Amino acid sequence: GASGGSTARNRLEEQEDLSVEQQTAQRYKAYAAAQGGSGASGGGSAARERLEEQEDQSIEQQTAMQYKAYEAERKRKDADEARWKLEEQENMSIELQMAHNFKAFSKKKEEEDALAEADDLLNAFAPPSKRM
């Protein structure tokens, strides 16, 4: 039961490890053949080192590309944020202007109303000849 399951899993993992190793070996063989290597231990180790260097370089390139993409995305987000802040500020200044204008309008209206009220009072108490 349980032990059979675990050994089956182990065997599967071993097969996977083997297939990865086989793929690497095949790639190495193909690379060595392309380099004209005889497969001798001296040539083999140099070819293997070259292969490893190439793999390292490709990993570095991928990492560099990912970093560039990340940087570009970060810059875009920063630009978006700056634009939103600018829009917010513009909206706020518009709201402030409107509030200021409304205040000024209200004040003027109050003054006009007060003057009209004063005129009404004066007219109420003024003799007929002085009424406006």
Side-chain angles (χ1 to χ4, degrees), residues 111-126 130-132:
E111 286 170 3
E112 284 173 3
D113 289 351
L115 282 175
E117 228 173 276
D119 285 347
D120 288 347
L121 281 172
L122 285 173
N123 281 336
F125 295 105
K130 303 277 188 199
R131 286 187 188 158
M132 297 167 89

Side-chain angles (χ1 to χ4, degrees), residues 101-115:
N101 291 348
F102 180 72
K103 231 183 191 174
F105 167 79
S106 299
K107 197 171 184 191
K108 194 169 187 225
K109 183 105 174 69
E110 278 175 27
E111 286 170 3
E112 284 173 3
D113 289 351
L115 282 175

Side-chain angles (χ1 to χ4, degrees), residues 11 23 34-35 47 50 62 64 66-67 72-74 93 97 100 107 109 127:
R11 234 178 277 135
Q23 283 176 354
Q35 295 299 311
R50 249 178 274 145
Q62 280 180 342
Q66 284 171 345
Y67 180 72
E73 177 68 10
R74 197 174 59 79
S93 69
Q97 279 178 335
H100 182 74
K107 197 171 184 191
K109 183 105 174 69

Side-chain angles (χ1 to χ4, degrees), residues 14-32:
E14 274 175 30
Q15 281 179 346
E16 281 175 0
D17 290 345
L18 269 172
S19 69
V20 169
E21 281 172 23
Q22 282 172 346
Q23 283 176 354
T24 308
Q26 281 174 354
R27 257 188 280 163
Y28 165 68
K29 274 183 193 162
Y31 173 76

Side-chain angles (χ1 to χ4, degrees), residues 13-81:
E13 284 173 4
E14 274 175 30
Q15 281 179 346
E16 281 175 0
D17 290 345
L18 269 172
S19 69
V20 169
E21 281 172 23
Q22 282 172 346
Q23 283 176 354
T24 308
Q26 281 174 354
R27 257 188 280 163
Y28 165 68
K29 274 183 193 162
Y31 173 76
Q35 295 299 311
S38 62
S41 63
S45 65
R48 188 182 299 119
E49 277 175 24
R50 249 178 274 145
L51 186 65
E52 284 172 2
E53 265 178 39
Q54 278 187 343
E55 282 177 357
D56 288 347
Q57 280 177 356
S58 71
I59 288 171
E60 281 173 21
Q61 282 174 342
Q62 280 180 342
T63 307
M65 277 166 51
Q66 284 171 345
Y67 180 72
K68 274 184 189 164
Y70 162 79
E71 276 290 292
E73 177 68 10
R74 197 174 59 79
K75 280 182 185 165
R76 192 186 59 74
K77 278 186 181 165
D78 287 351
D80 284 350
E81 240 173 75

